[in-house]
Amino acid sequence: MSRASLQAWLLADRFFLSAFKNLEVEAVRAQFPHLNVFCSEFDFAPNWSYLLFCASILAPSDIPASEETALRIAQSALLDDRCLAHERDAALVVLDALSNRMAIDLAQRRGRVTGGVEARLGLAQRMDWLRRSLENGLELAGGTILHANKFQRRFWTAAQRASWLSVSAPTSAGKSFILAQWLAEALRSGKVRRVVYLAPTRALVQQVENDLRRILAEAELLDVEISSVPFRGVAGKTEREILVFTQERLHYYLQTFSPGGIDGLIVDEAHKIGDSHRGILLQDVIEQIAKANPQATVLFTAPLVDNPELMLADAPDGTVAEPLRSDDATVSQNLLFLEPDQENPNCWRMTLRRGEANRLLGYFETPHRLTTPESKLARLAVLADTGEGGILVYADGAAQAEGIAGAIANLLPEIPENLRVRALDELCKDTIHKDYRLREVLRKGVAFHYGNMPLLLRTEIESLFRDGHVRYMVCTSTLVEGVNLPCRSIIVRAPKKGWGIDMPPADFWNLAGRAGRWGKEFQGNVICIDTQDINAWGETLPNRRSRYRVERTADRLLNDETRLIEYLDAGAPSDKAKKSQDLEAAVSYLTAIRRRHGTLMDAPWAGRISGAALARIDEALGSALDPFDLPNEWVGRHAGISPFAMHRMLTALQNLKQPIDDFLPLEPEEEDAANQYGRIFQLMGHHMTTAFGQGKRCQALGILTTNWMLGHPIKRIIAARIDWNRRKGISQRTATTIRRTLEDVEQIARFQAPRYLACYSDLARHVLELAGRKDKIEAIPDLTLSLEFGVRGPVQLALMALGLSRSSTLAIASTVSSHLAPEQIRQLQTEPSTVMVALQRLKPDEMNLPELVRDEIVRLQVIFALKQS
């Protein structure tokens, strides 16, 4: 009998399946100290000799079910105190056969086994152990050996031969780690020199930047510059560099500087190419880099995509392109359902879900009936605590996250005095507001986390959670976008993504992948609440982890052209553009393609689109847009804004009844800047976009945007909003004002305002040029970076380019400026290293700064000291 046949027979054997199912239930149930256990058929003492023997047969396999079963047996043996020492050694051998050295290291760190297992093995097993070490070992520069799992080994081999590589693997497979190691080796060898690392959101940019700094420092690649600020001072003056951008920042960079020097591109969370308007922009920037440098190395990574080859369709002719799929299991993951008992609603039954089968584990008792989603999530999160924290609770939005965190905190005692928690509390008070709700829950070991929070605050919350100082974390969809927050359990109830939109299965399993991260936990729990409520869950209720197919947003619209043509025929109205941002982005993108190639029929991707559909769209575009006299560079420069909106706005500016001077962008320092931006937002609201609202809303955003560009601290911006609400008679709770102000900073000042004001400024310059007013043209400022980063002047921008958060930058910018001569400040955009010297002169411990700000500055000083040495 072949090994594959033996494995298939074993997985179907009734005696083995019964023993394994009992083991699985026992292993999962043992995690929850508050779980009341029914007297059931599942109570048993495992026969470890038999089960580990079966695991040794199943481990050497490429079949996911075989690997997952072997992994479960081995990890359960290590966690069972009844398991004997030699049986635990056998479990380590099974883990090694699964190429899972990280789990072995975890077992040793937690004292489940003693080190030196090789010496305790028999000769044959020791030889096998050595052979696997050689097979799975990746030799890095300097002779360092990296023990990889099977997926990582396959990735390493594929990355050596392919120029375009598209990778799909589970969240816990170790993609980010091996990708960073590959990048370090590629930079060392000279395979790449200037690399763009595309992160899906701004919330993830800083985490990627910090992780890369750490890994490159460990690899002693201290001369590689890393930055997330797209300005020429960073790009172009160094031999080797990594630029960590979102697609919006990359687009700005490509429009401002030549893309020809980029010889490496990494697209993290590449399945986002199907994510509405941002997916279209992602496709656009990838195409621009591929066209500018056909020899560039391009890597895509995504979780559980069924068709990773989709990303390779646009690879230049002659490129070696390769997809890589992996389903290798590195951590056991439990899908658990919690439902109220029909006869006793204070009793919540927990079951282990395996496909269509439910296995009863036990029940939790609540002191009273839970009636709201928030109360259910809070109470059951506390009951489902394994005793070691690490609980993530998913909330549908920032307001709900704060509410659930408060409800959890009400169920818990205060934690002992903690210096790190106290430092975070101090930061909240000094940089947000004394009544920020995070301060209320931190003293109970609880926190909330959403993308609109200031970077330094969010980063420290993540750090406290990883280190166990915060036991419960309530998160929003930021977690789906790739923020690396490993946990023991994640608790969800009919999760939504956006306003009332059911979370797609792909995003659910991406979220679930945070439970039980490799090397951190042996198993993870995905706990779904109220699974009996069909009205809440609808068709989103998960049964098993499965792969999903990705489709480009642009391809989806092109292949089903009806929506797009109807939108064109209606003149692309701005109110519809707000609801269907993919349509506006598609019109912008297709117009740029059409003007570049003359017709959509000659686009490089035309072959994968229905010819008839493409012809109808091409004709509709031509009929609608050819009469518009818009320069080609506008269409490409302002991706995502439709030519219809540009034409409407241009016509309005040409027909103003008031002087155009009252509607020109100003430097934020000018006296009437806030009112002027309020008027501009109001004008754009009538003709270009509904993003800024109308009336008082535009006035409030004019003030906020101006203060943000001036570099005012968030605390001051929030205070200004509270004061403005009071003066306008707007009644709003302080917590709501804080939350909405943070949202406006992120979504308006940092996202919508840079896009639309850049386009508006080009339109205004055109009107002024026709009127012969060149003096006013030169006075219109380029505010893109000031809006994106919320700072003014080259010193602040250079500090952020080095990796400092905005909070720390604002705290020390004036002191750093005092150490620089005027000529040095003028040269910062081309010689940013000058600011490093001034930064090194600071003595943070002697400055009146929040502790976390001091810590961030000191960390950066250490990095630069290492570089100089």
Side-chain angles (χ1 to χ4, degrees):
M1 183 179 291
S2 67
R3 173 174 289 168
S5 299
L6 179 59
Q7 291 168 342
W9 171 82
L10 188 57
L11 289 174
D13 180 68
R14 292 174 59 185
F15 181 80
F16 170 73
L17 287 178
S18 176
F20 176 73
K21 288 177 181 178
N22 289 341
L23 166 69
E24 189 172 41
V25 166
E26 184 76 15
V28 176
R29 189 166 54 190
Q31 299 177 88
F32 303 106
H34 302 297
L35 188 68
N36 299 290
V37 179
F38 295 106
C39 293
S40 75
E41 60 184 296
F42 296 131
D43 296 325
F44 87 117
N47 182 343
W48 284 119
S49 295
Y50 168 71
L51 286 166
L52 288 166
F53 171 69
C54 293
S56 71
I57 295 172
L58 296 171
S61 174
D62 292 324
I63 301 172
S66 183
E67 291 182 313
E68 290 169 7
T69 303
L71 179 65
R72 168 70 75 183
I73 293 171
Q75 293 181 334
S76 299
L78 292 172
L79 295 172
D80 189 348
D81 292 334
R82 296 167 296 182
C83 192
L84 302 176
H86 70 277
E87 292 171 331
R88 294 189 187 191
D89 282 351
L92 297 183
V93 172
V94 171
L95 289 176
D96 192 60
L98 291 166
S99 304
N100 202 334
R101 288 286 176 92
M102 291 273 279
I104 295 173
D105 292 342
L106 178 62
Q108 292 176 348
R109 291 198 307 272
R110 294 198 174 174
R112 306 305 302 179
V113 294
T114 57
V117 63
E118 304 99 311
R120 299 194 295 272
L121 299 178
L123 178 60
Q125 286 186 325
R126 195 158 53 228
M127 292 172 65
D128 283 341
W129 186 286
L130 178 59
R131 174 182 54 78
R132 288 191 292 266
S133 297
L134 295 174
E135 289 175 347
N136 297 324
L138 303 178
E139 185 174 359
L140 307 180
T144 302
I145 300 297
L146 175 67
H147 291 287
N149 62 32
K150 288 194 289 187
F151 156 72
Q152 292 173 331
R153 189 176 71 244
R154 290 172 59 203
F155 169 88
W156 198 266
T157 302
Q160 306 307 310
R161 59 176 177 254
S163 296
W164 279 50
L165 178 63
S166 181
V167 178
S168 170
T171 306
S172 59
K175 295 192 301 291
S176 299
F177 175 76
I178 196 64
L179 185 61
Q181 295 293 337
W182 172 86
L183 179 55
E185 293 301 298
L187 286 164
R188 190 193 307 277
S189 67
K191 181 175 182 177
V192 295
R193 306 193 71 80
R194 179 177 297 164
V195 179
V196 172
Y197 193 118
L198 275 183
T201 63
R202 287 194 301 264
L204 192 58
V205 165
Q206 182 77 10
Q207 183 178 0
V208 171
E209 189 177 357
N210 289 338
D211 288 346
L212 289 175
R213 288 186 192 280
R214 174 180 53 78
I215 288 174
L216 293 185
E218 292 171 356
E220 299 183 350
L221 289 170
L222 300 175
D223 63 326
V224 178
E225 297 295 339
I226 304 175
S227 181
S228 57
V229 179
F231 80 131
R232 199 60 181 176
V234 176
K237 286 290 183 179
T238 175
E239 287 293 317
R240 298 184 289 188
E241 62 187 347
I242 303 173
L243 304 173
V244 185
F245 293 158
T246 59
Q247 53 261 51
E248 288 81 13
R249 289 188 195 178
L250 177 56
H251 175 73
Y252 174 82
Y253 177 91
L254 295 176
Q255 296 302 311
T256 309
F257 312 114
S258 169
I262 297 173
D263 57 6
L265 174 65
I266 296 172
V267 184
D268 195 9
E269 304 285 317
H271 60 290
K272 297 295 181 183
I273 203 166
D275 197 5
S276 188
H277 58 292
R278 297 193 71 233
I280 293 175
L281 181 58
L282 177 58
Q283 178 176 341
D284 189 16
V285 295
I286 292 170
E287 290 174 355
Q288 289 183 57
I289 289 178
K291 181 180 179 181
N293 188 355
Q295 287 75 44
T297 298
V298 181
L299 273 66
F300 302 91
T301 71
L304 295 174
V305 169
D306 191 45
N307 55 332
E309 64 277 1
L310 174 92
M311 316 297 175
L312 306 175
D314 293 328
D317 292 341
T319 299
V320 178
E322 184 173 334
L324 174 60
R325 288 179 39 158
S326 173
D327 291 295
D328 294 335
T330 57
V331 176
S332 295
Q333 199 169 71
N334 312 309
L335 180 60
L336 303 171
F337 285 5
L338 267 177
E339 301 176 354
D341 188 271
Q342 292 182 356
E343 297 180 358
N344 180 7
N346 294 351
C347 174
W348 285 76
R349 299 163 67 93
M350 175 178 274
T351 56
L352 174 65
R353 185 77 168 182
R354 282 287 178 261
E356 299 299 326
N358 283 338
R359 301 173 196 162
L360 184 62
L361 302 180
Y363 64 95
F364 294 115
E365 281 190 297
T366 62
H368 53 78
R369 184 173 183 175
L370 306 177
T371 57
T372 66
E374 290 77 13
S375 66
K376 293 174 183 178
L377 286 165
R379 174 69 68 174
L380 295 174
V382 173
L383 289 173
D385 190 348
T386 61
E388 299 177 345
I391 306 292
L392 277 177
V393 180
Y394 182 83
D396 292 336
Q400 190 185 50
E402 292 184 7
I404 294 171
I408 294 174
N410 289 337
L411 301 173
L412 301 172
E414 289 196 14
I415 62 175
E417 176 71 12
N418 186 301
L419 294 179
R420 288 186 60 186
V421 171
R422 188 173 68 186
L424 180 57
D425 177 76
E426 174 191 358
L427 186 71
C428 291
K429 182 180 68 175
D430 291 345
T431 63
I432 302 292
H433 194 277
K434 65 180 179 62
D435 295 326
Y436 191 36
R437 293 185 72 179
L438 185 62
R439 301 187 68 203
E440 300 173 14
V441 300
L442 276 174
R443 64 177 184 269
K444 301 291 189 74
V446 182
F448 50 79
H449 179 289
Y450 44 80
N452 296 331
M453 302 172 85
L455 174 63
L456 185 58
L457 187 69
R458 196 173 63 237
T459 302
E460 185 59 17
I461 291 171
E462 294 167 10
S463 178
L464 289 176
F465 183 74
R466 288 192 191 96
D467 295 342
H469 300 287
V470 165
R471 294 170 59 88
Y472 299 86
M473 175 89 78
V474 188
C475 297
T476 64
S477 59
T478 307
L479 195 63
V480 181
E481 309 296 345
V483 171
N484 184 13
L485 270 180
C487 64
R488 291 182 178 86
S489 300
I490 184 162
I491 302 178
V492 298
R493 182 189 181 276
K496 302 291 186 288
K497 188 181 179 187
W499 293 105
I501 302 172
D502 289 339
M503 180 178 287
D507 284 330
F508 176 86
W509 289 112
N510 195 12
L511 172 70
R514 272 64 187 159
R517 296 303 288 269
W518 188 39
K520 304 292 184 182
E521 303 293 337
F522 290 112
Q523 59 184 326
N525 304 301
V526 183
I527 304 175
C528 301
I529 290 175
D530 269 344
T531 48
Q532 84 292 341
D533 190 342
I534 301 301
N535 292 329
W537 282 90
E539 298 180 357
T540 64
L541 186 64
N543 286 322
R544 61 172 62 85
R545 189 178 70 183
S546 58
R547 289 186 169 272
Y548 56 93
R549 295 188 65 81
V550 172
E551 184 180 16
R552 293 180 180 85
T553 304
D555 288 6
R556 185 167 58 249
L557 291 170
L558 288 167
N559 280 316
D560 182 15
E561 76 277 16
T562 304
R563 281 183 68 224
L564 191 56
I565 291 177
E566 288 177 351
Y567 180 69
L568 289 168
D569 290 344
S574 56
D575 59 338
K576 190 169 184 178
K578 182 179 181 180
K579 298 175 183 176
S580 304
Q581 296 181 63
D582 57 338
L583 291 175
E584 182 174 26
V587 170
S588 172
Y589 169 71
L590 294 175
T591 302
I593 292 291
R594 192 172 183 273
R595 293 195 172 192
R596 195 177 303 152
H597 297 282
T599 172
L600 295 182
M601 311 302 289
D602 292 335
W605 37 255
R608 63 172 184 259
I609 306 298
S610 162
L614 202 57
R616 286 193 291 271
I617 295 170
D618 191 69
E619 182 181 356
L621 269 177
S623 299
L625 299 178
D626 285 350
F628 295 171
D629 185 21
L630 299 174
N632 286 342
E633 62 268 21
W634 287 3
V635 177
R637 186 183 305 157
H638 305 298
I641 302 176
S642 81
F644 288 93
M646 294 184 196
H647 178 71
R648 286 194 298 266
M649 191 71 256
L650 180 60
T651 302
L653 287 171
Q654 290 171 330
N655 294 284
L656 282 173
K657 295 180 180 179
Q658 298 170 254
I660 194 173
D661 303 60
D662 293 339
F663 296 91
L664 294 179
L666 302 175
E667 296 284 359
E669 293 85 0
E670 295 192 42
E671 183 178 356
D672 198 41
N675 291 329
Q676 188 97 322
Y677 282 109
R679 287 192 292 269
I680 291 172
F681 293 156
Q682 183 88 7
L683 187 64
M684 286 197 290
H686 287 301
H687 305 286
M688 195 176 193
T689 176
T690 59
F692 304 100
Q694 291 291 333
K696 289 182 180 180
R697 172 70 171 160
C698 292
Q699 297 173 24
L701 293 179
I703 296 169
L704 177 138
T705 301
T706 303
N707 289 340
W708 174 255
M709 287 190 289
L710 285 170
H712 287 182
I714 287 289
K715 183 176 183 178
R716 183 173 171 183
I717 293 173
I718 290 171
R721 174 64 67 85
I722 292 173
D723 181 64
W724 189 84
N725 284 347
R726 179 186 56 77
R727 289 187 286 106
K728 296 296 181 181
I730 299 173
S731 178
Q732 195 172 79
R733 297 174 64 182
T734 299
T736 303
T737 302
I738 293 171
R739 193 170 55 250
R740 290 183 179 175
T741 303
L742 293 175
E743 181 180 4
D744 283 343
V745 166
E746 285 297 314
Q747 303 305 320
I748 300 297
R750 299 193 66 191
F751 183 63
Q752 300 289 12
R755 294 175 62 219
Y756 283 103
L757 281 176
C759 182
Y760 179 91
S761 296
D762 272 353
L763 300 173
R765 292 186 187 101
H766 181 69
V767 173
L768 291 170
E769 185 177 8
L770 293 177
R773 301 186 62 184
K774 294 185 177 179
D775 58 323
K776 287 293 183 180
I777 294 175
E778 295 173 356
I780 295 178
D782 181 357
L783 301 170
T784 302
L785 294 183
S786 289
L787 286 163
E788 169 78 13
F789 295 98
V791 295
R792 288 292 285 170
V795 173
Q796 293 179 345
L797 198 58
L799 287 170
M800 293 193 72
L802 298 180
L804 274 184
S805 66
R806 181 178 186 266
S807 300
S808 297
T809 293
L810 296 180
I812 65 170
S814 59
T815 306
V816 170
S817 297
S818 68
H819 290 288
L820 296 169
E823 183 61 26
Q824 290 176 309
I825 293 176
R826 285 192 291 270
Q827 293 175 353
L828 281 179
Q829 285 199 344
T830 55
E831 296 291 346
S833 58
T834 307
V835 83
M836 298 181 194
V837 178
L839 184 68
Q840 290 293 74
R841 295 174 184 164
L842 298 187
K843 297 180 179 179
D845 290 340
E846 299 177 7
M847 301 174 69
N848 184 24
L849 299 170
E851 183 178 341
L852 293 175
V853 171
R854 288 198 301 269
D855 290 346
E856 187 182 26
I857 295 167
V858 169
R859 283 197 297 270
L860 206 56
Q861 287 178 325
V862 170
I863 291 173
F864 295 143
L866 289 172
K867 287 188 174 187
Q868 291 172 351
S869 63

